[in-house]
Amino acid sequence: MTERRTALVASLALLAMTASWGSTFFLIKDLLDRVPTLDFLAVRFAVASVALFVLAPRAVGRLSAESRRHALVLGLLYGVAQILQTAGLAHTAASVSGFITGMYVVFTPLLAAWILKTRITRLTWAAVALATAGLAVLTLNGLSLGYGEAITLVAAVIYALHIVGLGAWSKPDEALGMSIVQLVVITLVCLTATAPDGIVLPATRGDWLSLLYMALVAGAAALVVQTWAQAHLPPTRCAIIMSLEPVFAALFAVLLGDESVTSRLVVGGLMVLTAMVVVEIVPRRKIEGEVPHLAV
């Protein structure tokens, strides 16, 4: 498979992963009426960890010590970001939280330029700006800056660090092993946050089915796809593709929920989609696409 075709497959895989994330929003909204958020996260990632380990029990053993260390750092970043985003959501509107979290699309190129010394093209910066504006149209009804917004912004920066780290450290043949380590670490972070007051489990068959879908498809499989895809794509390109998550969330809410199509959904969604198309047609040159692998 040629490098260009591999990059296309990676982009499509990342797009499918983003769609799976978007499909969980209405499920999570329903489930969190009965299961506390951190308890849900801990159980979700625990199930994902066990499932992936059973599928590939030797994958972690094949990792080098350096790759295990990288996966540990990435898991810590993602787990802390999950907790901060959750804590912020308790102090701000869901739409505002969604927009601020989506700001990782801005922080990713900034961090990639600073940490990885990559040069970002003007066209890519234009795509970043367009995606950010699209997210604003799609989600915002107003924006103020308080405690909830501040810690959500920190979560967005950490998500961007995770994206940049995956871009620098992931290798196609280590996607399974690194995903397992990340999931285990994320589980431990979430368990540490919620274990002191006990863990509430889903009580019905329907809730367990929803959780299993989110753990296996939008959890374990999605992280493997992201880890593999980011071995072939630059971080900024990945962030712009993943900024389609709220667009997919809105589409699934219309198709499977009781929400209706609005002009904001159409305009904002088209803006983010256009940003993705723009970044996909950027010439594949070293100025933006080839990321050095960092050591820690």
Side-chain angles (χ1 to χ4, degrees):
M1 188 180 294
T2 65
E3 182 180 347
R4 188 170 182 83
R5 178 169 290 187
T6 300
L8 176 60
V9 171
S11 295
L12 292 174
L14 205 59
L15 188 63
M17 178 210 74
T18 304
S20 77
W21 284 353
S23 71
T24 66
F25 274 62
F26 74 98
L27 294 174
I28 291 174
K29 182 178 179 181
D30 177 61
L31 185 59
L32 293 185
D33 289 336
R34 297 173 294 280
V35 180
T37 303
L38 285 176
D39 298 53
F40 157 71
L41 291 174
V43 177
R44 175 187 179 183
F45 288 119
V47 172
S49 302
V50 171
L52 212 53
F53 182 78
V54 170
L55 179 66
R58 299 180 182 178
V60 175
R62 289 194 292 266
L63 293 177
S64 65
E66 182 182 57
S67 293
R68 290 194 194 99
R69 187 166 65 248
H70 290 164
L72 173 63
V73 172
L74 293 169
L76 283 171
L77 287 173
Y78 198 90
V80 171
Q82 286 275 312
I83 291 175
L84 288 176
Q85 182 186 7
T86 301
L89 190 57
H91 300 279
T92 188
S95 60
V96 174
S97 175
F99 170 71
I100 296 176
T101 301
M103 289 295 290
Y104 64 69
V105 75
V106 175
F107 295 127
T108 297
L110 290 173
L111 291 171
W114 176 46
I115 298 173
L116 304 178
K117 309 301 181 185
T118 55
R119 183 175 159 226
I120 311 301
T121 67
R122 290 182 180 179
L123 189 57
T124 301
W125 277 119
V128 168
L130 184 60
T132 304
L135 288 172
V137 171
L138 190 65
T139 61
L140 285 185
N141 288 310
L143 179 62
S144 60
L145 186 61
Y147 171 75
E149 291 80 12
I151 61 175
T152 304
L153 192 64
V154 174
V157 174
I158 298 175
Y159 280 131
L161 277 173
H162 181 263
I163 294 170
V164 171
L166 268 182
W169 293 332
S170 59
K171 302 174 184 177
D173 59 337
E174 293 184 339
L176 273 173
M178 290 193 71
S179 296
I180 292 170
V181 175
Q182 286 181 82
L183 286 169
V184 170
V185 174
I186 295 167
T187 300
L188 292 175
V189 170
C190 293
L191 280 173
T192 300
T194 193
D197 61 353
I199 297 177
V200 176
L201 298 175
T204 68
R205 181 173 176 270
D207 285 351
W208 271 111
L209 287 175
S210 294
L211 187 142
L212 287 174
Y213 168 75
M214 289 183 277
L216 301 179
V217 177
L223 188 56
V224 172
V225 168
Q226 183 184 3
T227 303
W228 176 83
Q230 286 209 233
H232 300 285
L233 300 172
T236 300
R237 188 175 171 189
C238 294
I240 292 174
I241 294 173
M242 288 188 286
S243 69
L244 280 167
E245 181 182 359
V247 179
F248 281 117
L251 286 175
F252 279 107
V254 169
L255 294 174
L256 303 177
D258 55 0
E259 297 190 21
S260 57
V261 177
T262 65
S263 58
R264 293 183 61 173
L265 169 59
V266 174
V267 174
L270 284 175
M271 290 172 72
V272 179
L273 183 61
T274 301
M276 190 200 76
V277 172
V278 167
V279 82
E280 282 298 309
I281 65 173
V282 173
R284 300 292 157 242
R285 298 173 182 170
K286 290 187 178 181
I287 54 176
E288 196 264 342
E290 294 184 11
V291 181
H293 283 252
L294 298 180
V296 169

